[in-house]
Amino acid sequence: MHDGLLDAARGLGALVEERAEAGETLRRLPPDVVEAVAAAGLFRMCVPAALGGPQADPRTIVDVIEEVARHDGAAGWCVMIASTTSVLSAYLPEPFATEIYGSDPLTVTGGTFAPNGRAVASGDGHVVSGRWQWGSGSQHCAWLCVGCIADPLVEGGSPEFRLMFLPRAEVEIVDTWYTAGLRGTGSNDLQVHERVVPGGRSVPVLGGRPLHQGALYAFPLYGLLALGVASVMLGIARRAIDEVVALAGAKKPMMSAKTLAERSMAQVDVARAEAALGGGRAFLRDELDRAWAAACEGGDIPLGQRARLRLACAHAASEATRAVDLAYTTGGGSSVYETSPLQRCLRDVHTATQHVMVAPQMYETVGRLLLGVQADTTLL
């Protein structure tokens, strides 16, 4: 465990929480929050030690993301995106890895893994064009990666799905992020028109092998991303329950002589919310520990274990959402105001449910595998 990273996340809690409303208005993280999080190393938790990074274990990564998200879902989301993107540092050859991740410890990277771009072969690299949604945190990134279907660079090869790294100055950020939730993430569209990317600045998504040693890099790229998304949602749910408990002790609902805390349905629903959050969190951490043990043994994580890990991520997301819904409803009329953290929790967690990494179709994929039916395992 990298206790220093978790301690840093806890130390940033007051600032992150205080500036959450400003992030909602700006529709991006406030610069002072970005600077503090970057200085604490939370945007690059997956960078190898050889490149000056912490090379944190997955349990530390999810704990840090959950802790930041407890104070502000948008800040937790940006930590998640930047740190899960930073795992690509282990796949980039020298000198490109050093150029992006090794030269400045405050460098932040982000982007989107969706293969919505086209990369045409040109010399030893590609000419990239395309447009992508969900560019979370792109305004504070120095480098952005975008997913492309890329021409082969060797004769007789086949097109492949690759992530292309470009300097922030070569990517247009299109102002589209007008949303119900996670407003502070700045998840605008990204657009690129005929920019040259050297071959060493791209990473194959399927079948790529890390160039650095360590059990962290046995985790599949999409599996690590799913863990991050679920952890953000668990943090949001923790905040929602804490908020309604604080509210219930002082609030007397209209036409009632009792506080909210003294009403039986509030008691039942808060207990249900706590159980939902605890159950989802425990399953996630149990499967994460099993996957980490397999990775530490030196081999790839077996397909069955990867499937259970992804099932745990989807389940954690579902249970976190249920916990937030219960907390929001228990809060009554107080929950509907924009000034209420319960309202922000509701908007943020339901926005997060739309991420493909925790979408309900993962239940079908894992169910097919459990039943011995052929399934598409690309995203596992």
Side-chain angles (χ1 to χ4, degrees):
M1 290 285 288
H2 289 66
D3 294 334
L5 291 172
L6 186 54
D7 288 343
R10 289 170 177 153
L12 290 171
L15 172 65
V16 169
E17 191 168 317
E18 178 187 340
R19 299 290 282 151
E21 187 175 345
E24 291 262 301
T25 302
L26 292 169
R27 294 180 300 111
R28 59 178 292 182
L29 288 192
D32 55 339
V33 174
V34 172
E35 291 172 9
V37 174
L42 306 189
F43 283 137
R44 45 187 280 128
M45 289 188 283
C46 296
V47 175
L51 293 173
Q55 195 170 333
D57 60 280
R59 185 64 175 267
T60 297
I61 293 167
V62 300
D63 284 350
V64 166
I65 292 170
E66 183 179 342
E67 174 64 21
V68 177
R70 181 170 69 87
H71 297 282
D72 177 28
W77 190 271
C78 288
V79 167
M80 178 270 295
I81 288 293
S83 271
T84 54
T85 301
S86 76
V87 77
L88 298 174
S89 58
Y91 292 75
L92 289 166
E94 289 285 359
F96 300 98
T98 296
E99 177 188 16
I100 297 173
Y101 288 100
S103 58
D104 183 354
L106 297 182
T107 294
V108 183
T109 59
T112 172
F113 285 14
N116 292 347
R118 182 81 175 89
V120 179
S122 177
D124 67 346
H126 293 91
V127 177
V128 173
S129 297
R131 180 161 173 163
W132 299 260
Q133 292 181 301
W134 327 118
S136 301
S138 50
Q139 299 96 329
H140 58 248
C141 290
W143 292 84
L144 293 165
C145 70
V146 291
C148 294
I149 301 301
D151 289 344
L153 293 178
V154 296
E155 187 175 351
S158 301
E160 60 179 340
F161 177 13
R162 299 185 74 90
L163 295 171
M164 305 282 177
F165 273 92
L166 297 103
R168 161 67 184 85
E170 295 184 7
V171 180
E172 178 187 359
I173 298 178
V174 186
D175 187 15
T176 57
W177 193 242
Y178 295 87
T179 61
L182 294 175
R183 293 174 183 168
T185 63
S187 302
N188 292 294
D189 286 11
L190 308 179
Q191 188 163 281
V192 175
H193 180 64
E194 295 185 350
R195 293 292 185 173
V196 177
V197 176
R201 239 202 278 140
S202 70
V203 172
V205 175
L206 306 176
R209 306 297 298 179
L211 303 177
H212 289 261
Q213 299 298 312
L216 171 64
Y217 308 119
F219 272 73
L221 297 178
Y222 283 126
L224 197 61
L225 179 58
L227 279 167
V229 174
S231 297
V232 172
M233 298 173 74
L234 290 172
I236 294 170
R238 179 72 272 156
R239 174 66 180 280
I241 295 172
D242 291 347
E243 287 291 338
V244 80
V245 167
L247 174 69
K251 177 179 177 177
K252 287 187 178 180
M254 186 179 298
M255 309 295 290
S256 174
K258 295 181 178 180
T259 64
L260 187 58
E262 294 173 309
R263 301 184 71 173
S264 60
M265 279 311 302
Q267 295 160 5
V268 169
D269 284 347
V270 166
R272 285 174 173 166
E274 190 67 44
L277 173 60
R281 192 174 189 271
F283 183 28
L284 179 71
R285 277 157 173 69
D286 184 54
E287 293 302 330
L288 174 55
D289 288 348
R290 292 172 187 271
W292 181 241
C296 289
E297 288 175 1
D300 290 336
I301 300 172
L303 176 61
Q305 183 59 60
R306 297 201 309 269
R308 287 187 62 85
L309 184 63
R310 293 299 304 281
L311 176 63
C313 291
H315 180 69
S318 176
E319 291 299 277
T321 304
R322 188 160 76 94
V324 173
D325 287 348
L326 285 165
Y328 177 87
T329 302
T330 300
S334 302
S335 301
V336 306
Y337 293 96
E338 284 194 353
T339 54
S340 169
L342 284 168
Q343 204 234 44
R344 185 184 303 141
C345 289
L346 183 83
R347 292 187 284 105
D348 286 352
V349 82
H350 277 276
T351 299
T353 62
Q354 302 309 300
H355 199 288
V356 67
M357 289 296 102
V358 294
Q361 55 260 39
M362 187 51 60
Y363 286 97
E364 179 185 357
T365 299
V366 178
R368 292 177 70 90
L369 290 172
L370 291 173
L371 292 167
V373 179
Q374 186 175 0
D376 181 1
T377 60
T378 304
L379 295 182
L380 295 181

